[in-house]
Amino acid sequence: MATKNFDAVIIGSGQAGTPLAFALAGEGKRTALVEAKHLGGSCVNVGCTPTKTFISSARVRHVLGRAHDYGIELNGDSAVDMPAVGARVNDMRIRFRSGIESGADSTERLEVFYGTGRVAAQNTVVVNGRDGASTTLSAPQIFIDTGTRPVVPPIEGLAAVPYLTNESILDLDELPEHLFVLGGGYIGVEFAQAYRRLGSRVTIVQRAGALLPREDEEVRQALHAVLEDEGVRVLTASALERVTPQGAGFTAEVVSSAGAETLSASHLLLATGRAPNTDGLGLEELGISLDKRGYIQVDAQLNTGVQGIWALGDVKGGPAFTHTSYDDFRILQRALAGRPGPGTDERLLAYTVFTDPQLARVGMSEREARAAGYDVAAAAIPMTRVARALEVGETRGLMKAVVDRRSERILGFAMVGLEAGEVAGAVQVAILTGAPYTLLRDTPFAHPTLVESLNNLFGGVTL
């Protein structure tokens, strides 16, 4: 088998590997990019881009249903054309993916190999191509960005019941009569609300005692209330014991401390987490450590411990967000240029759950801050005290601030509310600069904006 020589080989074209491939090729390095499915990784093909496009369609129907609240009377109902919704979703991901493909085709010194890659030696990758042929690539630098896949839990009877994951549900061209969502994390709550708004009956079954259990009690309860207010049934501290085919759907036996309940549903969505795509990569034979779940172990600069091999993106574990993966690229790009900067252990991440209203957080929750030993001052205000929310007609939710009494610095911020992700970004910058909470309390933000409400929130902090 002939060997093709490169300066760098990247396995996986997610939101860390793809910009790295463009950057290395742009620096004059002969770069190979290996991709098993589509360029762009999960975000572009089955994650952020298509799911947020889908959610936006559901939001339009929801807003139309509230037209009367705004003094607007509509004639006729807002019928849902699921094939048209799906076509819009697909068009969007193809648009994003095509842009990456065009960029790769036009980038000198970058060659794309479609197939699965295996690290056969410290400087060797074998690609099993889609056409069945194998190609050996040699390079002194190898980067692994193979991402994750949906977890399919061991549930009795599941083999006989068709199920959906966050990936396959995007190809559904019919509206479920009753969508049963197993899992109350980010993926579960986003799809649950969207399908409820499109007209499905929806039930969420969550094994933990609350949705999004890492959040503070009042924050997760605020989101819980939003979902139930819109008609989503939420069963927490509950387990799905078995499923049984029934007609075109299935029955589900759910067990909780209150006893057992049998539910009938038409569609089953598994939203029970993700698992790393490290199977078959040959990493352990090279001495690369994996944790008990299969994630690649790296240091703060993304080194695997084997000279010349790095891992970045979701496959290394940690928060599985697109912006985290892209920041991995930044960290690695600096290190490769000989000017290493802050690593993964120093970055401050914000995240947004794209329910409507959104849930966003940056920094520590109050619970985390107290566990870390901080002398905490916390303050919260309901969205009913936010002028912009009142004007827009979306007053569900709250804002919460967590401050260190000793230094007066902001430790964390959480919000369930209108455009919470945008507001969290402003707090993120304040935390990064080390500014005292009084900066956000006293800054004359424009009126009436959502960020202006930070004056009121931080004005309620008592040291």
Side-chain angles (χ1 to χ4, degrees):
M1 185 187 305
T3 299
K4 304 189 72 170
N5 297 312
F6 291 89
D7 297 308
V9 175
I10 302 167
I11 308 175
S13 68
Q15 297 304 300
T18 299
L20 180 63
F22 287 133
L24 294 176
E27 294 167 4
K29 294 183 177 181
R30 292 166 298 166
T31 304
L33 180 59
V34 181
E35 173 51 49
K37 295 181 180 179
H38 302 292
L39 293 186
S42 293
C43 177
V44 168
N45 294 289
V46 295
C48 314
T49 298
T51 60
K52 278 45 178 181
T53 303
F54 178 78
I55 288 169
S56 70
S57 291
R59 183 180 183 278
V60 168
R61 187 171 190 270
H62 172 72
V63 172
L64 289 173
R66 292 189 59 204
H68 178 77
D69 297 342
Y70 296 87
I72 307 297
E73 298 299 334
L74 299 178
N75 296 319
D77 62 356
S78 50
V80 176
D81 183 343
M82 284 300 291
V85 171
R88 180 174 177 269
V89 169
N90 202 43
D91 287 347
M92 190 64 69
R93 62 179 158 190
I94 289 174
R95 181 189 306 179
F96 277 59
R97 183 197 307 159
S98 297
I100 297 172
E101 291 171 344
S102 297
D105 290 343
S106 61
T107 299
E108 295 183 4
R109 294 174 293 276
L110 175 60
E111 186 172 354
V112 178
F113 294 84
Y114 286 101
T116 57
R118 177 175 60 87
V119 186
Q122 189 172 343
N123 63 349
T124 303
V125 173
V126 175
V127 180
N128 294 315
R130 292 176 179 174
D131 59 0
S134 294
T135 306
T136 299
L137 312 178
S138 177
Q141 295 181 331
I142 296 173
F143 306 91
I144 303 169
D145 181 32
T146 49
T148 60
R149 64 184 182 276
V151 168
V152 178
I155 298 170
E156 183 180 339
L158 188 61
V161 173
Y163 60 83
L164 301 162
T165 67
N166 70 294
E167 298 180 1
S168 60
I169 196 170
L170 292 167
D171 297 320
L172 192 65
D173 61 1
E174 61 185 1
L175 186 65
E177 188 277 324
H178 183 185
L179 178 64
F180 184 107
V181 180
L182 182 63
Y186 308 146
I187 292 172
V189 296
E190 286 184 358
F191 275 114
Q193 184 186 49
Y195 272 99
R196 179 69 193 109
R197 287 180 162 190
L198 290 171
S200 298
R201 285 195 298 133
V202 178
T203 300
I204 298 176
V205 169
Q206 164 77 326
R207 181 178 290 274
L211 300 176
L212 306 179
R214 288 188 59 228
E215 305 302 329
D216 283 331
E217 176 70 17
E218 64 267 51
V219 174
R220 61 195 188 212
Q221 284 297 329
L223 181 62
H224 189 125
V226 166
L227 294 174
E228 289 199 328
D229 177 62
E230 295 191 14
V232 176
R233 188 183 182 200
V234 180
L235 304 176
T236 56
S238 301
L240 175 60
E241 292 291 313
R242 66 181 56 83
V243 291
T244 305
Q246 182 186 60
F250 66 99
T251 60
E253 186 173 325
V254 178
V255 177
S256 69
S257 58
E261 178 181 1
T262 300
L263 304 175
S264 295
S266 59
H267 294 72
L268 171 61
L269 170 62
L270 302 180
T272 49
R274 308 277 294 180
N277 293 320
T278 49
D279 313 71
L281 283 174
L283 303 181
E284 293 174 298
E285 290 88 340
L286 296 173
I288 294 175
S289 298
L290 307 179
D291 71 9
K292 62 182 180 180
R293 297 176 61 193
Y295 288 98
I296 301 173
Q297 300 298 279
V298 296
D299 64 16
Q301 296 292 323
L302 305 172
N303 298 287
T304 64
V306 174
Q307 182 68 32
I309 302 180
W310 295 262
L312 59 171
D314 295 352
V315 75
K316 71 179 192 324
F321 302 124
T322 292
H323 48 288
T324 310
S325 294
Y326 191 80
D327 193 56
D328 285 353
F329 153 66
R330 293 192 190 100
I331 290 171
L332 199 48
Q333 185 182 39
R334 290 192 298 263
L336 294 173
R339 45 182 181 82
T344 59
D345 57 342
E346 297 180 70
R347 63 186 171 197
L348 175 69
L349 291 175
Y351 59 82
T352 302
V353 182
F354 285 86
T355 48
D356 178 30
Q358 299 168 1
L359 184 156
R361 179 149 73 89
V362 60
M364 297 180 178
S365 67
E366 180 181 359
R367 181 175 51 181
E368 291 169 342
R370 293 192 186 280
Y374 287 98
D375 185 4
V376 171
I381 60 171
M383 292 300 290
T384 52
R385 286 185 54 196
V386 177
R388 183 62 180 165
L390 288 163
E391 293 157 358
V392 174
E394 180 53 85
T395 57
R396 296 179 294 177
L398 79 166
M399 292 183 173
K400 182 174 182 179
V402 181
V403 173
D404 177 24
R405 293 180 188 274
R406 295 188 180 94
S407 67
E408 299 190 3
R409 291 188 174 182
I410 305 164
L411 299 175
F413 169 81
M415 176 177 173
V416 175
L418 180 67
E419 296 296 348
E422 306 294 340
V423 181
V427 182
Q428 182 179 23
V429 172
I431 297 175
L432 286 169
T433 63
Y437 78 95
T438 52
L439 176 72
L440 296 179
R441 183 192 69 186
D442 300 335
T443 297
F445 297 110
H447 175 77
T449 61
L450 290 165
V451 74
E452 178 194 28
S453 58
L454 295 177
N455 290 163
N456 294 336
L457 174 64
F458 286 94
V461 172
T462 302
L463 299 183

